[in-house]
Amino acid sequence: MIKKIFLIAALGLTMLTAGCATDDDEPEEVVYVYSWGDYLDPTTLEMFEEETGIRVVLDEFDTNESMYPRVSAGAVHYDVICPSDYMIEKMIGHGLLQPLDFDRLPNARKYIGQKFFEQSRAFDPENKYSVPYCWGTVGIIYDTTKIDEPIDSWAVLWDERYRNEILMQDSPRDALMVPLKLKGHSLNSTNPDELNEARDLLIAQKPLVQAYVIDEAKDKLISGEAALGVVFSGEALMISLENEDMEFVVPKEGTNFWIDGWVLTRDAENVENAHKFIDFMCRPEIAVINFDYLGYSTPNVAVRELEEDEDIKNSPVAFPDPEVYEDQETYKYFGEAMDRIYSDLWIQVKVN
């Protein structure tokens, strides 16, 4: 997910010069977007610019945690950002966002499924600040040529038979989520005993783990370098399309149901253009282009009918039955102190 769509090598210079006009020109219309790497099909950006005359200046981040300090410092004034659920909650709480004007977002109101707005209330209680863009779950993908029995539990990640064949996520929340759910706890647990138990289980698992990964999981699993791994559902779709022997499952103990959404920053200087950009991305014929490019499930209810690839259209990973994600938990923002505890626990896992 890290290859770049647009590399703004001199972003600071661009920010200083954007909007400046020559003596004979009108000021340039622009919108500054800060999104995950490889999260938008470049074609859709070109289409937006051609239709609206608004230039998109795109910068990218690889984690919520690397995005946040840049935005909170205010050194660069982005207009539109695409954070994840718990980070949206944090940004709301710290006053870094401004409410969206949904009268200017007719496509969002019409085509984003109501159940996704309902799920978003876990981090945006009044649905004032965010429009869902992508969503998914976290589960296990496994090679059916190497693993005979069906998998339905996180417990397989502690199975000695798969020593050096297991890939785990290299992030505190996603790594600790696995043993927490395995033991029947909330993935938002703040209970010291539960968290220490989760840490100890991950430490005990370490001899079986081939690698802690983020983006490398896809290539390792497609090539058969690993037999199973913890992945996001969007990655699972792409892996299964590349390697038909791979099967994805959401474990019976439960998992994370995540949502990434478009938000408007407090310091946005191009508010009208930002609304136009968000609403353009909610247009079904644009949403299906991004969906095909990205692979993550979309909250846009019109996309499935527009999808031309029958394998994707009928994929239970891309378009799962509602019971797969109903009643699943979304990450909550804990506050700085508990964030540090999770980070410290993960460090303890990595160094032991």
Side-chain angles (χ1 to χ4, degrees):
M1 193 176 71
I2 295 301
K3 69 177 189 296
K4 296 300 182 183
I5 302 172
F6 286 96
L7 181 60
I8 310 301
L11 181 63
L13 179 61
T14 303
M15 293 289 185
L16 289 172
T17 59
C20 294
T22 67
D23 293 340
D24 299 323
D25 295 332
E26 292 295 322
E28 181 183 37
E29 291 291 327
V30 66
V31 62
Y32 295 103
V33 179
Y34 198 19
S35 180
W36 294 89
D38 212 13
Y39 228 39
L40 291 157
D41 189 316
T43 304
T44 64
L45 302 180
E46 295 168 4
M47 294 169 69
F48 175 78
E49 291 181 331
E50 183 176 351
E51 179 176 314
T52 65
I54 300 168
R55 183 166 64 92
V56 179
V57 178
L58 178 67
D59 197 13
E60 297 175 335
F61 56 85
D62 57 1
T63 68
N64 287 291
E65 286 68 28
S66 65
M67 173 274 295
Y68 180 82
R70 189 169 192 177
V71 175
S72 62
V76 180
H77 288 177
Y78 297 105
D79 299 310
V80 180
I81 307 179
C82 189
S84 300
D85 33 50
Y86 70 95
M87 187 56 68
I88 294 174
E89 182 179 11
K90 178 177 181 177
M91 296 176 81
I92 292 171
H94 289 194
L96 295 177
L97 305 181
Q98 60 176 291
L100 291 163
D101 180 356
F102 279 85
D103 288 338
R104 294 193 246 184
L105 300 171
N107 288 320
R109 295 171 69 179
K110 183 175 182 180
Y111 295 113
I112 301 303
Q114 185 58 36
K115 64 177 174 289
F116 297 101
F117 277 115
E118 292 172 0
Q119 187 72 21
S120 295
R121 290 180 189 143
F123 54 89
D124 181 6
E126 299 179 62
N127 291 135
K128 290 170 56 177
Y129 294 94
S130 63
V131 172
Y133 172 58
C134 291
W135 70 273
T137 56
V138 180
I140 299 171
I141 194 164
Y142 63 99
D143 189 334
T144 57
T145 67
K146 297 181 178 180
I147 300 175
D148 294 332
E149 75 274 20
I151 288 176
D152 67 353
S153 171
W154 293 115
V156 71
L157 299 172
W158 280 263
D159 193 323
E160 286 280 350
R161 290 176 295 173
Y162 307 120
R163 177 181 290 268
N164 204 37
E165 293 278 4
I166 298 168
L167 301 178
M168 293 290 288
Q169 287 290 311
D170 189 5
S171 76
R173 295 296 295 269
D174 293 319
L176 288 159
M177 178 272 292
V178 173
L180 283 171
K181 297 305 291 185
L182 175 64
K183 289 299 182 178
H185 308 313
S186 169
L187 54 77
N188 292 308
S189 177
T190 58
N191 182 298
D193 292 336
E194 294 173 359
L195 292 174
N196 289 334
E197 178 185 36
R199 174 204 58 199
D200 293 345
L201 282 168
L202 290 175
I203 291 172
Q205 181 206 29
K206 280 187 69 176
L208 310 181
V209 176
Q210 180 187 119
Y212 298 103
V213 294
I214 299 179
D215 300 295
E216 307 94 318
K218 180 180 175 183
D219 291 339
K220 284 178 173 288
L221 290 160
I222 289 173
S223 66
E225 191 176 334
L228 70 166
V230 178
V231 299
F232 296 95
S233 54
E235 294 173 311
L237 175 62
M238 295 305 180
I239 292 168
S240 62
L241 290 173
E242 292 282 340
N243 184 341
E244 62 183 13
D245 294 323
M246 305 301 289
E247 186 165 330
F248 179 71
V249 63
V250 174
K252 61 187 178 183
E253 296 92 356
T255 188
N256 172 35
F257 175 28
W258 58 267
I259 294 176
D260 291 346
W262 298 114
V263 298
L264 181 65
T265 68
R266 176 193 61 198
D267 298 326
E269 297 176 348
N270 303 283
V271 173
E272 180 66 27
N273 294 348
H275 281 85
K276 288 179 179 178
F277 178 85
I278 295 171
D279 204 52
F280 184 85
M281 293 302 161
C282 294
R283 191 184 299 175
E285 59 268 29
I286 302 303
V288 73
I289 295 172
N290 281 321
F291 167 69
D292 285 337
Y293 180 80
L294 186 57
Y296 286 110
S297 296
T298 173
N300 193 304
V301 297
V303 163
R304 191 171 192 175
E305 286 303 312
L306 296 177
E307 176 56 53
E308 296 180 353
D309 188 317
E310 290 298 319
D311 288 338
I312 295 177
K313 191 171 186 174
N314 297 317
S315 168
V317 179
F319 299 101
D321 292 331
E323 58 264 26
V324 171
Y325 52 83
E326 286 178 348
D327 301 322
Q328 302 288 8
E329 290 185 279
T330 298
Y331 286 138
K332 299 282 291 178
Y333 170 58
F334 291 134
E336 302 295 337
M338 186 54 63
D339 273 353
R340 284 194 296 272
I341 289 173
Y342 266 75
S343 295
D344 289 346
L345 289 168
W346 182 231
I347 290 170
Q348 292 169 38
V349 172
K350 298 290 286 291
V351 301
N352 275 291

